[in-house]
Each structure stands twice: as structure tokens, then as C-alpha cells.
């Protein structure tokens, strides 16, 4: 999805021993320890998480901004083309250049987050997005419009990586999955809000609304601590302890968690600096395959093609009003994504993503069948209903798992010494997939409406097989336990059972 340099920060994020915390609440001379074991989660929940929640709220303003950028072009196309006298090709450039900016942001996101910290990366992204929205607002032609769109694309490209990483690094184990899922929830909320507001305000006013989450993010970053793991990684010991204490509560005993993080970081400092080519070493390759594979299957299941052109899809199926189906599509996304956030740490990552992929298969297969029936003039009265049902089943299923779970797993599976480079690679793959699917969707639909959806349903089947075979369950595990599960022979890293 930078200027202060600290040691070998570009080695990777300092996602260290996240959950081995030992808060204690002192009452007179008695203490209550909040242990890190699975059986003590109810006790752990009573520990202070106010700063964690505030930090998460600030971070997911970046996710809302992501959604606002993605959703901006859908309701504004005709108005912008009319006001600025743009050709279809010029407007297509305006829409697609967001993805180009995001790809560049993805390439640099990991290094930036390692170089100036998680907060620094989010602050830089907010500045790019603010500059982009102002350029869009004041634009009088295609050049300024495209520059603004490119800037916002670069900003959200960085945010797409750093937001879930930051949340995963600050959150307790029992909340990590649900809080990280808020990233996807706020993305779809931002997109839905942009679409709905765009139907009642001008395109310039809609650009100004995009400034709101940027400003909240920029200001809010002054109120929250930096990721303790990044601070430990760059050797800022005093700030590391202060940040960890703020996140765990003033009465919490963070000595055990701090010691575990420092041991882990010291071990990692002894490892050589990670380069992109190092990602393909045998000790890292399974993590890379999991991260890249999940992003490929997330995108090639068709989400961006279907969502970008949902109105045209409904119209092609014979629905009288594509706009009605689109509003229903937007309304389904947010509540179902919220359900997914709740289920994330209850059902586990693997079951949720497999159920989600099963649903996207059924949705695409149903939509493809509707177009097949239409092409053969069979049951014409049922075709629009089947198409709408198929697309809504698809988006509901995607929102409950496939949308968020790959990002959660991405934030958990990479060793800290390669997290920067690996994160950039995975986010780049995601954006490349998004561009490929959105660009080819109309060509595929011209070739065969039913065939397009059947192809996407095939990718959903492959997703189920991929997850069943390669993806580990990360629910309830510390980040170090996850590493031990993926690669038990990780050199020098503590293996916790």
C-alpha cells in the first residue's frame, strides 16, 4: 500500500511476542495476574484495553479513507466527465491511476513502516491523501485530477499494509483477530458511505468529505503510542517500555512481555539483513507462499470486477434498475463484515475463510447459472432474481471472511526480520490482482457472462483446497507460536508450545 533512520530497521517490522503479557491489578497487597494462557482469557479481558481500542480507532480511520478513495469514482463518473469535458478514456485513466499509485505505495510500504515507524507511515499516508483530495477538488482538467487520484492511491497503498500490521502489533492475543478485521470493516464502510453520499452531493464536495478521515487520522496519531515492537526493534528502550505500559494499562505488569519481546528482538538482530531475494529462502518460503497465495485467491475470486461493475452486471441479467441492486449490495457489505469481525476470534481463521470461500463459490455459480439460462432462453423470469441472489450471496460470503482474513493472516505469519520486504511483496501482489481483475472483467463479460462467473467460482474451490492444505490456524497463538507452527526449524527463534 521518511527520514529518521534507526539501525537495521528495514530488516522488518518488530512484530514480537505480542501476547505473553502478565498484567497485574494491585489491591492493597494482593495482585491479580492476567495470564496469557487460553484458559485465562476471561481474566485477561478485564485488563485495561482502553488505549488499544483508541489506537485501533485512529488506525482504522486510514481504512475508512481507503474505502472512501475506492468508492469515490462510482457515483461521480457522469458529473466529472460533464464538468471537465473528459473523454471516456480520460476518465478511465482517472479511475485506474488510483491502482497504479497504490501499487507504488505497496512496493514502498514495508520499508517506510520500518524506517519511520508505523505512526510515521500512517502520518505520511494521510498527508498524501490530503494533498490528493485537494488536487481533485481544485482540478480544472485531467492532469490535476489524475495527479490527485495518484496521490490518494499512493496513500492508501501504504495504509493497506501498515494499518493491519500496527493493529496486530499492539493488540492482545484474544482481541487481535477481531480488531484487525476492523480494517476490512472500515474499508467497506468507507466505500459504501462514499457511494451513498456521492448520490446527493457534487463530486467536488464528495472530495472534501474524503479529507475528514485523513484529518482525524493525522491528529489522532499524536494521541496514541507507537508500536512497542517497532520501538524495541530500533533500540528505543525507554519509549518501548512507556508504549507497552500505555497499551496494557498503568496497573499492568508488563515485565514478562517486555522481556520476551527483547529476547526475540535480540535474536533477530543477530540475523542478516533481509532483502527481497531472501524471501525465497527455504526457511521463509512457506510464509511467502501462504501470504501471496491468499492474496491471489482473494483477488482472482472476482471481488473487484464484480464490485466495480455491479450495476452493469445486474442490468445485463435483466434487472430493471441496476441502482437498486447496487444499493442492496452496499447495504449487505457492512453488517456481514461486522459479523465476520465478531467471528474472527471465535471460530478461527481457517474455518472462517473456508466457509467464506464456499459461499463465494455458490454465489458465483448461481450468478453464472443465471446468465447461462438467459443465453439459452430458459426460465427468463427467474434469471434476474438468480443473478441478484448470486451476487449478494457472493458479497456476503466474501465480506464475512475472504475480505478480512487474508489481511489478518498476513499480519501474523511473517517473521519480524522479513516482515517489511514480505509485507510489501504481498500488498503489491494484492494490488496487481485488483488491477488485473478490474481491467479484464468487462472483456471477460463480453466473451461470456456465465463463463466469467464460472471462472471465479473455480478460484473459490482452489481457495478451499489451498487453505486446507497450507494455511495454519493462528487463533489464540502468539506471533512467535505461529512462526514455530509454520517453520519449526526457524533458526534461533524461540519456539513456544
Amino acid at each position: 500500500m521518511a527520514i529518521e533512520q534507526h539501525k537495521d530497521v528495514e530488516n522488518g517490522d518488530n512484530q514480537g511476542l505480542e501476547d505473553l503479557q502478565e498484567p497485574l491489578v494491585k489491591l492493597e497487597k494482593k495482585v491479580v495476574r492476567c495470564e496469557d494462557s487460553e484458559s485465562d482469557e476471561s481474566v485477561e479481558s478485564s485488563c485495561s484495553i482502553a488505549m488499544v481500542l483508541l489506537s485501533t480507532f485512529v488506525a482504522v480511520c486510514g481504512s475508512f479513507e481507503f474505502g472512501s478513495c475506492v468508492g469515490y469514482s462510482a457515483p461521480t463518473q457522469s458529473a466529472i466527465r460533464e464538468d471537465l469535458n473528459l473523454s471516456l478514456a480520460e476518465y478511465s485513466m482517472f479511475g485506474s491511476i488510483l491502482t497504479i499509485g497504490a501499487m507504488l505505495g505497496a512496493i514502498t510500504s514495508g520499508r517506510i513502516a520500518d524506517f519511520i515507524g508505523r505512526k510515521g507511515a500512517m502520518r505520511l499516508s494521510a498527508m498524501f491523501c490530503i494533498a490528493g483530495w485537494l488536487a481533485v477538488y481544485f482540478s480544472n482538467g485531467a492532469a490535476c485530477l489524475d495527479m490527485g487520484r495518484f496521490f490518494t492511491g499512493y496513500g492508501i497503498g501504504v495504509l493497506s499494509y501498515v494499518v493491519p500490521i500496527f493493529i496486530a502489533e499492539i493488540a492482545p492475543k484474544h482481541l487481535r483477530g477481531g480488531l484487525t478485521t476492523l480494517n476490512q470493516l472500515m474499508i467497506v464502510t468507507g466505500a459504501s458511505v462514499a457511494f451513498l453520499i456521492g448520490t446527493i452531493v457534487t463530486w467536488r464536495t464528495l472530495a472534501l468529505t474524503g479529507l475528514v478521515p485523513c484529518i482525524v487520522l493525522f491528529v489522532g496519531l499524536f494521541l496514541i503510542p507507537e508500536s512497542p515492537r517497532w520501538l524495541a526493534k530500533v533500540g528505543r528502550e525507554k519509549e518501548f517500555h512507556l508504549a507497552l505500559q500505555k497499551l496494557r494499562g498503568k496497573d499492568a505488569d508488563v515485565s514478562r512481555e517486555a522481556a520476551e519481546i527483547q529476547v526475540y528482538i535480540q535474536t533477530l538482530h543477530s540475523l542478516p539483513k533481509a532483502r527481497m531475494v531472501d524471501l525465497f529462502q527455504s526457511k521463509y518460503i512457506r510464509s511467502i507462499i501462504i501470504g501471496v497465495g491468499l492474496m491471489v485467491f482473494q483477488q482472482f475470486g472476482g471481488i473487484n470486477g464484480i464490485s466495480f461493475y455491479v450495476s452493469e452486471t445486474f442490468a445485463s441479467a435483466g434487472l430493471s434498475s441496476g441502482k437498486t441492486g447496487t444499493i442492496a449490495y452496499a447495504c449487505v457489505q457492512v453488517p456481514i463484515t461486522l459479523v465476520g469481525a465478531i467471528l474472527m476470534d471465535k471460530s478461527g481463521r481457517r474455518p472462517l475463510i473456508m466457509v467464506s470461500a464456499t459461499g463465494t463459490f455458490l454465489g458465483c455459480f448461481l450468478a453464472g447459472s443465471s446468465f447461462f439460462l438467459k443465453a439459452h432462453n430458459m426460465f427468463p423470469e427467474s434469471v434476474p432474481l438468480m443473478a441478484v441472489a448470486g451476487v449478494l450471496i457472493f458479497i456476503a460470503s466474501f465480506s464475512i471472511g475472504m475480505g478480512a482474513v487474508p489481511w489478518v493472516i498476513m499480519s501474523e505469519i511473517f517473521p519480524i526480520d522479513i516482515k517489511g520486504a514480505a509485507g510489501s511483496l504481498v500488498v503489491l501482489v494484492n494490488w496487481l490482482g485488483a488491477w488485473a481483475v478490474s481491467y479484464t472483467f468487462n472483456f471477460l463479460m463480453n466473451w461470456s457472462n456465465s463463463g466469467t462467473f464460472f471462472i471465479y467460482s473455480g478460484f473459490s474451490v482452489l481457495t478451499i483446497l489451498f487453505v486446507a492444505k497450507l494455511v495454519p490456524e493462528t487463533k489464540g497463538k502468539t506471533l512467535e507460536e505461529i512462526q514455530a507452527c509454520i517453520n519449526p526449524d526457524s533458526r534461533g527463534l524461540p519456539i513456544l508450545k
Side-chain angles (χ1 to χ4, degrees):
M1 62 153 114
I3 322 201
E4 218 181 304
Q5 190 170 8
H6 304 280
K7 301 186 181 179
D8 288 336
V9 186
E10 61 178 344
N11 280 8
D13 310 300
N14 69 2
Q15 186 142 342
L17 284 210
E18 167 161 15
D19 307 303
L20 292 176
Q21 63 188 56
E22 196 179 13
L24 33 101
V25 179
K26 296 185 179 179
L27 293 174
E28 299 175 355
K29 292 189 177 181
K30 294 184 179 180
V31 296
V32 177
R33 293 183 180 271
C34 296
E35 297 292 343
D36 189 41
S37 65
E38 191 78 25
S39 61
D40 292 327
E41 283 189 358
S42 61
V43 180
E44 187 178 8
S45 299
S46 66
C47 299
S48 175
I49 59 168
M51 183 55 71
V52 171
L53 296 179
L54 175 62
S55 301
T56 301
F57 168 77
V58 172
V60 296
C61 287
S63 308
F64 189 93
E65 171 63 16
F66 185 128
S68 299
C69 294
V70 171
Y72 178 79
S73 59
T76 58
Q77 178 172 349
S78 59
I80 291 178
R81 289 190 61 192
E82 183 179 344
D83 289 354
L84 301 184
N85 195 29
L86 300 183
S87 66
L88 181 60
E90 287 174 322
Y91 190 82
S92 297
M93 172 59 73
F94 170 69
S96 63
I97 202 170
L98 177 82
T99 310
I100 298 172
M103 279 191 268
L104 181 59
I107 293 171
T108 58
S109 59
R111 299 296 183 183
I112 290 174
D114 291 342
F115 194 66
I116 61 175
R118 314 307 188 237
K119 286 175 59 178
M122 287 188 281
R123 190 175 288 118
L124 180 67
S125 300
M127 292 169 63
F128 267 96
C129 289
I130 289 171
W133 285 122
L134 290 176
V136 170
Y137 178 79
F138 289 109
S139 62
N140 291 310
C144 189
L145 198 68
D146 290 345
M147 181 181 69
R149 187 72 165 166
F150 178 83
F151 279 2
T152 58
Y154 181 84
I156 66 174
V158 175
L159 288 171
S160 66
Y161 168 76
V162 74
V163 170
I165 290 295
F166 176 76
I167 296 173
E169 288 183 348
I170 66 169
K173 173 177 64 180
H174 67 292
L175 293 176
R176 188 176 66 229
L179 291 180
T180 309
T181 309
L182 290 177
N183 175 55
Q184 180 68 19
L185 175 64
M186 295 305 289
I187 289 174
V188 299
T189 301
S192 298
V193 169
F195 178 81
L196 296 174
I197 293 179
T199 61
I200 58 176
V201 302
T202 66
W203 63 272
R204 293 186 191 273
T205 303
L206 186 61
L208 291 181
T209 66
L211 292 172
V212 176
C214 299
I215 294 171
V216 174
L217 174 63
F218 190 86
V219 174
L221 287 170
F222 291 101
L223 307 176
I224 63 175
E226 178 58 271
S227 163
R229 286 161 180 78
W230 181 79
L231 292 170
K233 176 73 169 100
V234 300
R236 291 158 63 171
E237 294 295 325
K238 183 177 180 181
E239 294 170 67
F240 158 61
H241 285 284
L242 288 174
L244 192 59
Q245 194 73 62
K246 278 186 178 180
L247 289 166
R248 299 299 179 247
K250 65 179 182 178
D251 296 320
D253 178 9
V254 298
S255 58
R256 181 185 174 191
E257 184 178 9
E260 294 281 6
I261 291 174
Q262 288 172 325
V263 168
Y264 192 78
I265 294 300
Q266 287 170 6
T267 303
L268 291 171
H269 273 309
S270 68
L271 300 177
K273 180 190 295 186
R275 299 167 299 171
M276 191 64 73
V277 68
D278 295 331
L279 301 181
F280 302 99
Q281 296 178 22
S282 59
K283 61 183 177 181
Y284 300 134
I285 194 64
R286 189 178 177 202
S287 294
I288 297 299
I289 290 173
I290 292 169
V292 170
L294 286 174
M295 293 305 176
V296 167
F297 288 119
Q298 181 196 60
Q299 290 301 327
F300 283 87
I303 180 61
N304 278 299
I306 294 171
S307 62
F308 282 12
Y309 307 107
V310 65
S311 294
E312 290 83 349
T313 300
F314 288 144
S316 298
L319 191 67
S320 58
S321 174
K323 187 174 181 179
T324 302
T326 304
I327 293 174
Y329 179 99
C331 292
V332 163
Q333 271 190 304
V334 177
I336 296 296
T337 304
L338 181 58
V339 171
I342 295 171
L343 292 176
M344 178 69 66
D345 281 314
K346 295 185 180 296
S347 64
R349 280 51 151 173
R350 274 168 55 92
L352 196 58
I353 201 170
M354 292 174 75
V355 168
S356 175
T358 302
T360 58
F361 163 76
L362 293 174
C364 283
F365 189 82
L366 185 59
S369 298
S370 71
F371 284 110
F372 180 83
L373 293 176
K374 182 183 178 184
H376 292 81
N377 294 316
M378 300 168 63
F379 309 105
E381 67 284 351
S382 301
V383 167
L385 181 60
M386 287 179 64
V388 171
V391 171
L392 293 183
I393 289 172
F394 171 86
I395 189 56
S397 300
F398 182 89
S399 298
I400 205 170
M402 281 299 296
V405 175
W407 293 106
V408 174
I409 294 177
M410 183 273 288
S411 71
E412 297 173 326
I413 62 172
F414 296 127
I416 190 173
D417 57 321
I418 65 161
K419 189 178 289 287
S424 293
L425 174 65
V426 167
V427 176
L428 175 61
V429 168
N430 185 273
W431 280 108
L432 283 170
W435 173 81
V437 171
S438 59
Y439 181 77
T440 59
F441 182 81
N442 284 327
F443 295 105
L444 288 172
M445 290 291 281
N446 286 335
W447 162 67
S448 170
N449 291 332
S450 59
T452 300
F453 282 93
F454 289 147
I455 289 173
Y456 294 154
S457 66
F459 273 101
S460 295
V461 173
L462 293 176
T463 302
I464 298 170
L465 298 175
F466 178 81
V467 172
K469 184 68 175 176
L470 288 176
V471 179
E473 180 55 70
T474 60
K475 174 197 171 188
K477 293 184 174 69
T478 67
L479 302 176
E480 292 69 39
E481 289 173 320
I482 294 169
Q483 286 308 307
C485 178
I486 293 175
N487 186 14
D489 299 322
S490 295
R491 179 161 68 100
L493 298 184
I495 298 178
L496 307 176
K497 300 296 183 186

